[in-house]
Amino acid sequence: MSKTTEPISVLIVEDDAKLASLVQRGIESQRWLSDIADRGDVALKMLTPPHRWDVVVLDRTLPGTGGMRVCRAMRELGDMTPIIMLTARAAVDERIEGLDAGANDYLTKPFALKELHARIRALLRDAPSRSSSPSSLGLGPLALDEELRELLAGDIRVQLRPQESLFVALLLRARGRPVSREQLRNALWPEDEFTTDNQLDVLVGRVRRRIAPFGHTTITTDRGFGYRIQVES
């Protein structure tokens, strides 16, 4: 079982409404908490801080942003939430592909709910306790308190707006590696809310102005790809 007395929370990412509802009822029969995302881009939005989940039950085949892309995006952004991937495909090579993309376990449809419950419990036995998970992210002298949305280094503190804080958290989780524009768009805006690339550029410009007082911190552009955060010690 989980190492915390708080209720287990499960995000169900499944576009088949009937199956998603069935899985949710099974999850809640265990007195666990759950929510449903019917698209990959919606799931990525729900997975970004301050949202925290103990397990993600992820359908491999989703409209738009597919399950494999969701899985890879989570791992590239440093999100190590355990993932159980659901699929109707039983081929060994496809199961291996899902595991190599970052999934922790694989369950082939149709499946018994009690087996899904057992696999969730097995994953949580080895997962870090949520109570020990810090609410802050750091890189060099820079730290972000995700709950307070406060960026600080030394005596300098800057209050961020919710979307600014989320953007900085995504870059900090990448530990200096570039994060693609596509990954940022999927995480920052549900697909139906995003209109133009200019929205992301405006957000980046605003965050750059907010972090200017730190001096040692810059957000650089990887031309044709995305952005990264660089912090001098």
Side-chain angles (χ1 to χ4, degrees):
M1 290 297 294
S2 171
K3 299 175 185 178
T4 174
T5 57
E6 296 178 25
I8 292 167
S9 60
V10 181
L11 178 60
I12 304 160
V13 189
E14 171 61 66
D15 65 309
D16 183 325
K18 185 176 180 180
L19 177 58
S21 179
L22 178 65
V23 171
Q24 185 173 50
R25 289 198 300 273
I27 293 294
E28 293 178 352
S29 73
Q30 303 297 301
R31 298 196 173 123
W32 299 339
L33 303 177
S34 67
D35 206 344
I36 295 172
D38 62 356
R39 300 200 316 265
D41 60 297
V42 174
L44 288 172
K45 179 72 173 179
M46 295 173 70
L47 284 159
T48 51
H51 303 295
R52 295 175 186 269
W53 304 92
D54 293 299
V55 176
V56 177
V57 177
L58 176 65
D59 186 26
R60 178 182 172 125
T61 306
L62 295 165
T65 303
M68 294 289 288
R69 288 174 63 192
V70 171
C71 189
R72 290 193 181 99
M74 288 175 62
R75 298 314 187 221
E76 288 169 4
L77 293 171
D79 186 341
M80 301 311 294
T81 304
I83 297 171
I84 298 177
M85 189 167 282
L86 305 179
T87 183
R89 304 173 181 179
V92 172
D93 288 347
E94 291 178 347
R95 293 203 303 271
I96 291 172
E97 184 183 14
L99 294 169
D100 285 345
N104 300 83
D105 200 356
Y106 226 102
L107 196 54
T108 303
K109 301 175 184 178
F111 54 87
L113 286 175
K114 62 183 180 181
E115 181 179 2
L116 174 62
H117 301 160
R119 288 173 183 263
I120 290 173
R121 289 192 296 269
L123 285 178
L124 290 174
R125 278 197 293 270
D126 297 324
S129 170
R130 283 171 300 163
S131 61
S132 65
S133 299
S135 65
S136 62
L137 292 168
L139 187 63
L142 187 71
L144 172 69
D145 188 312
E146 296 179 81
E147 293 182 2
L148 298 178
R149 299 194 302 273
E150 190 175 61
L151 196 60
L152 59 148
D155 296 330
I156 303 175
R157 294 172 180 265
V158 174
Q159 188 69 43
L160 300 176
R161 298 172 182 173
Q163 199 169 49
E164 295 168 351
S165 177
L166 176 54
F167 173 73
V168 172
L170 293 168
L171 296 188
L172 285 175
R173 280 197 169 85
R175 308 294 299 175
R177 300 187 305 274
V179 182
S180 73
R181 295 178 69 91
E182 181 183 12
Q183 290 170 344
L184 291 167
R185 287 196 301 264
N186 287 337
L188 290 163
W189 292 276
E191 188 174 318
D192 55 358
E193 290 184 8
F194 189 80
T195 55
T196 67
D197 278 341
N198 187 55
Q199 285 179 258
L200 180 56
D201 297 332
V202 169
L203 175 63
V204 172
R206 198 165 67 230
V207 172
R208 281 173 171 158
R209 290 192 293 274
R210 287 190 178 272
I211 67 173
F214 294 111
H216 51 60
T217 302
T218 56
I219 294 174
T220 61
T221 302
D222 273 47
R223 197 168 299 279
F225 183 75
Y227 298 94
R228 72 173 77 210
I229 193 166
Q230 294 184 328
V231 181
E232 297 177 8
S233 301

Coordinates of all heavy atoms in Angstrom, one line a residue, residues 32-74:
W32 N -10.3 5.1 -3.4 CA -9.3 5.9 -3.9 C -10.0 7.1 -4.7 O -11.1 7.0 -5.1 CB -8.4 5.1 -4.9 CG -7.7 4.0 -4.3 CD1 -7.4 3.8 -3.0 CD2 -7.2 2.8 -5.0 NE1 -6.7 2.6 -2.8 CE2 -6.6 2.0 -4.0 CE3 -7.2 2.4 -6.3 CZ2 -6.0 0.8 -4.4 CZ3 -6.6 1.2 -6.7 CH2 -6.0 0.4 -5.7
L33 N -9.2 8.2 -4.9 CA -9.7 9.3 -5.6 C -9.3 9.2 -7.1 O -8.3 8.5 -7.4 CB -9.1 10.6 -5.1 CG -9.3 10.9 -3.6 CD1 -8.5 12.2 -3.2 CD2 -10.8 11.0 -3.3
S34 N -10.1 9.7 -8.0 CA -9.8 9.6 -9.4 C -10.4 10.8 -10.2 O -11.3 11.5 -9.7 CB -10.4 8.3 -10.0 OG -11.8 8.3 -10.0
D35 N -9.9 11.0 -11.4 CA -10.4 11.9 -12.3 C -10.2 11.3 -13.7 O -9.3 10.4 -13.9 CB -9.8 13.3 -12.2 CG -10.8 14.4 -12.7 OD1 -11.7 14.1 -13.4 OD2 -10.5 15.6 -12.4
I36 N -10.9 11.8 -14.7 CA -10.7 11.3 -16.1 C -10.3 12.4 -17.1 O -10.8 13.5 -17.0 CB -12.1 10.7 -16.6 CG1 -12.5 9.5 -15.7 CG2 -12.0 10.3 -18.0 CD1 -13.9 9.0 -16.0
A37 N -9.4 12.1 -17.9 CA -9.0 12.9 -19.1 C -9.3 12.1 -20.3 O -8.9 11.0 -20.4 CB -7.6 13.3 -19.0
D38 N -10.0 12.7 -21.3 CA -10.4 11.9 -22.5 C -9.4 12.2 -23.7 O -9.6 11.6 -24.8 CB -11.8 12.1 -22.9 CG -12.1 13.6 -23.2 OD1 -11.2 14.4 -23.1 OD2 -13.3 13.9 -23.6
R39 N -8.5 13.1 -23.5 CA -7.5 13.4 -24.5 C -6.1 13.6 -23.9 O -6.0 13.9 -22.7 CB -7.8 14.7 -25.3 CG -9.2 14.7 -26.0 CD -9.2 15.8 -27.1 NE -8.7 17.1 -26.6 CZ -9.4 18.1 -26.1 NH1 -10.7 17.9 -25.9 NH2 -8.9 19.2 -25.7
G40 N -5.1 13.3 -24.7 CA -3.7 13.4 -24.2 C -3.3 14.8 -23.8 O -2.7 15.0 -22.8
D41 N -3.7 15.8 -24.6 CA -3.4 17.2 -24.2 C -4.0 17.6 -22.9 O -3.4 18.3 -22.1 CB -3.7 18.2 -25.3 CG -5.2 18.2 -25.7 OD1 -5.7 17.1 -26.1 OD2 -5.9 19.2 -25.5
V42 N -5.3 17.2 -22.7 CA -6.0 17.4 -21.4 C -5.2 16.8 -20.3 O -5.1 17.3 -19.2 CB -7.4 17.0 -21.5 CG1 -8.1 17.2 -20.1 CG2 -8.2 17.8 -22.5
A43 N -4.8 15.5 -20.5 CA -4.0 14.8 -19.4 C -2.8 15.5 -19.0 O -2.5 15.7 -17.8 CB -3.7 13.4 -19.9
L44 N -2.0 16.0 -20.0 CA -0.8 16.8 -19.7 C -1.1 18.0 -18.9 O -0.3 18.4 -18.0 CB 0.0 17.1 -21.0 CG 0.6 15.9 -21.7 CD1 1.2 16.3 -23.1 CD2 1.7 15.3 -20.8
K45 N -2.2 18.7 -19.2 CA -2.6 19.9 -18.4 C -2.9 19.5 -17.0 O -2.5 20.1 -16.0 CB -3.8 20.5 -19.1 CG -4.3 21.7 -18.3 CD -3.4 22.9 -18.5 CE -4.1 24.2 -17.9 NZ -3.2 25.3 -18.0
M46 N -3.6 18.4 -16.8 CA -3.9 17.9 -15.5 C -2.8 17.4 -14.7 O -2.8 17.3 -13.5 CB -5.0 16.8 -15.6 CG -6.3 17.4 -16.1 SD -7.6 16.1 -16.4 CE -8.0 15.6 -14.8
L47 N -1.7 17.0 -15.4 CA -0.5 16.4 -14.7 C 0.5 17.5 -14.3 O 1.4 17.2 -13.5 CB 0.2 15.5 -15.7 CG -0.5 14.1 -15.8 CD1 0.0 13.4 -17.1 CD2 -0.2 13.2 -14.6
T48 N 0.3 18.7 -14.7 CA 1.3 19.8 -14.4 C 1.0 20.3 -13.0 O -0.1 20.3 -12.5 CB 1.2 20.9 -15.4 OG1 -0.2 21.4 -15.5 CG2 1.7 20.5 -16.7
P49 N 2.1 20.8 -12.3 CA 1.9 21.3 -10.9 C 0.9 22.4 -10.9 O 0.8 23.2 -11.8 CB 3.3 21.8 -10.6 CG 4.2 21.1 -11.5 CD 3.4 20.9 -12.7
P50 N 0.1 22.6 -9.8 CA 0.3 21.9 -8.5 C -0.5 20.5 -8.4 O -0.6 20.0 -7.3 CB -0.4 22.9 -7.5 CG -1.5 23.5 -8.3 CD -0.9 23.6 -9.7
H51 N -1.0 20.0 -9.5 CA -1.7 18.8 -9.5 C -0.7 17.6 -9.2 O 0.4 17.6 -9.8 CB -2.4 18.5 -10.8 CG -3.4 19.6 -11.2 ND1 -4.5 19.9 -10.5 CD2 -3.3 20.5 -12.2 CE1 -5.1 20.8 -11.1 NE2 -4.5 21.3 -12.1
R52 N -1.1 16.7 -8.4 CA -0.2 15.6 -8.0 C -1.1 14.3 -8.1 O -2.2 14.3 -7.5 CB 0.4 15.7 -6.6 CG 1.4 16.9 -6.5 CD 1.9 17.1 -5.1 NE 2.7 18.3 -5.0 CZ 4.0 18.3 -5.1 NH1 4.6 17.2 -5.4 NH2 4.7 19.4 -5.0
W53 N -0.6 13.3 -8.7 CA -1.2 12.0 -8.8 C -0.3 10.9 -8.4 O 0.9 11.0 -8.5 CB -1.7 11.7 -10.3 CG -2.5 12.8 -10.8 CD1 -2.1 13.9 -11.5 CD2 -4.0 13.0 -10.7 NE1 -3.2 14.7 -11.8 CE2 -4.3 14.2 -11.4 CE3 -4.9 12.2 -10.1 CZ2 -5.7 14.6 -11.4 CZ3 -6.3 12.6 -10.2 CH2 -6.6 13.8 -10.8
D54 N -0.9 9.8 -7.8 CA -0.1 8.7 -7.4 C 0.2 7.7 -8.6 O 1.3 7.1 -8.6 CB -0.8 7.9 -6.3 CG -0.8 8.8 -5.0 OD1 0.2 9.1 -4.5 OD2 -1.9 9.1 -4.5
V55 N -0.8 7.6 -9.4 CA -0.7 6.7 -10.6 C -1.5 7.3 -11.7 O -2.5 7.9 -11.6 CB -1.3 5.3 -10.2 CG1 -1.2 4.4 -11.4 CG2 -0.5 4.6 -9.1
V56 N -1.0 7.0 -13.0 CA -1.7 7.4 -14.2 C -2.0 6.1 -14.9 O -1.1 5.3 -15.2 CB -0.9 8.3 -15.1 CG1 -1.6 8.6 -16.4 CG2 -0.5 9.6 -14.4
V57 N -3.3 5.9 -15.2 CA -3.8 4.8 -16.0 C -4.0 5.3 -17.4 O -4.9 6.1 -17.6 CB -5.1 4.1 -15.5 CG1 -5.6 3.0 -16.4 CG2 -4.8 3.6 -14.0
L58 N -3.1 5.0 -18.3 CA -3.0 5.7 -19.6 C -3.3 4.8 -20.8 O -2.6 3.8 -21.0 CB -1.6 6.3 -19.7 CG -1.2 7.0 -21.0 CD1 -2.0 8.2 -21.2 CD2 0.3 7.3 -21.0
D59 N -4.3 5.1 -21.6 CA -4.6 4.4 -22.8 C -3.6 4.7 -23.9 O -3.2 5.9 -24.0 CB -6.0 4.8 -23.3 CG -6.5 3.9 -24.5 OD1 -6.0 2.8 -24.6 OD2 -7.3 4.4 -25.3
R60 N -3.1 3.7 -24.5 CA -2.1 3.9 -25.5 C -2.6 4.7 -26.7 O -2.0 5.6 -27.3 CB -1.5 2.6 -26.0 CG -0.5 2.7 -27.1 CD 0.0 1.4 -27.6 NE 0.9 1.6 -28.8 CZ 2.1 1.1 -28.9 NH1 2.7 0.5 -27.9 NH2 2.8 1.3 -30.0
T61 N -3.9 4.4 -27.1 CA -4.5 5.0 -28.3 C -5.5 6.1 -27.9 O -6.5 5.8 -27.4 CB -5.2 3.9 -29.2 OG1 -4.2 2.9 -29.5 CG2 -5.7 4.5 -30.5
L62 N -5.1 7.3 -28.2 CA -5.9 8.5 -27.8 C -6.0 9.4 -29.0 O -5.1 9.5 -29.9 CB -5.3 9.3 -26.7 CG -5.2 8.6 -25.3 CD1 -4.3 9.4 -24.4 CD2 -6.6 8.5 -24.7
P63 N -7.1 10.1 -29.2 CA -7.2 11.1 -30.3 C -6.2 12.3 -30.0 O -6.0 12.7 -28.9 CB -8.6 11.6 -30.2 CG -9.1 11.4 -28.8 CD -8.3 10.1 -28.3
G64 N -5.6 12.8 -31.1 CA -4.7 14.0 -30.9 C -3.4 13.5 -30.4 O -2.7 12.7 -30.9
T65 N -3.1 14.0 -29.2 CA -1.8 13.6 -28.5 C -2.0 12.2 -27.9 O -2.7 12.0 -26.9 CB -1.5 14.6 -27.3 OG1 -1.5 15.9 -27.9 CG2 -0.2 14.3 -26.7
G66 N -1.4 11.2 -28.5 CA -1.5 9.8 -28.2 C -0.9 9.5 -26.9 O -0.1 10.2 -26.3
G67 N -1.2 8.3 -26.3 CA -0.7 7.8 -25.1 C 0.9 7.7 -25.0 O 1.5 8.0 -24.0
M68 N 1.5 7.3 -26.1 CA 2.9 7.2 -26.2 C 3.6 8.6 -26.1 O 4.6 8.8 -25.4 CB 3.4 6.5 -27.5 CG 2.9 5.1 -27.6 SD 3.9 4.0 -26.5 CE 5.5 4.1 -27.3
R69 N 3.0 9.6 -26.7 CA 3.5 10.9 -26.6 C 3.3 11.5 -25.2 O 4.2 12.2 -24.7 CB 2.8 11.8 -27.7 CG 3.2 11.5 -29.1 CD 2.4 12.3 -30.1 NE 2.6 13.8 -29.9 CZ 1.9 14.7 -30.5 NH1 0.8 14.3 -31.3 NH2 2.1 16.0 -30.3
V70 N 2.2 11.2 -24.6 CA 2.0 11.6 -23.2 C 3.0 11.0 -22.3 O 3.6 11.7 -21.5 CB 0.5 11.3 -22.7 CG1 0.4 11.5 -21.2 CG2 -0.5 12.0 -23.5
C71 N 3.3 9.8 -22.5 CA 4.2 9.0 -21.6 C 5.6 9.6 -21.8 O 6.3 10.0 -20.8 CB 4.2 7.6 -22.0 SG 5.2 6.5 -20.9
R72 N 6.0 9.8 -23.0 CA 7.4 10.4 -23.3 C 7.5 11.8 -22.8 O 8.5 12.2 -22.2 CB 7.7 10.4 -24.8 CG 7.9 9.0 -25.4 CD 8.5 9.0 -26.7 NE 8.7 7.7 -27.3 CZ 7.9 7.1 -28.2 NH1 6.8 7.8 -28.6 NH2 8.2 5.9 -28.6
A73 N 6.4 12.6 -23.0 CA 6.5 14.0 -22.5 C 6.6 14.1 -21.0 O 7.4 14.9 -20.5 CB 5.2 14.7 -23.0
M74 N 5.9 13.2 -20.3 CA 6.0 13.2 -18.8 C 7.4 12.9 -18.4 O 8.0 13.6 -17.5 CB 5.1 12.1 -18.2 CG 3.6 12.5 -18.3 SD 2.5 11.1 -17.7 CE 3.1 10.9 -16.0

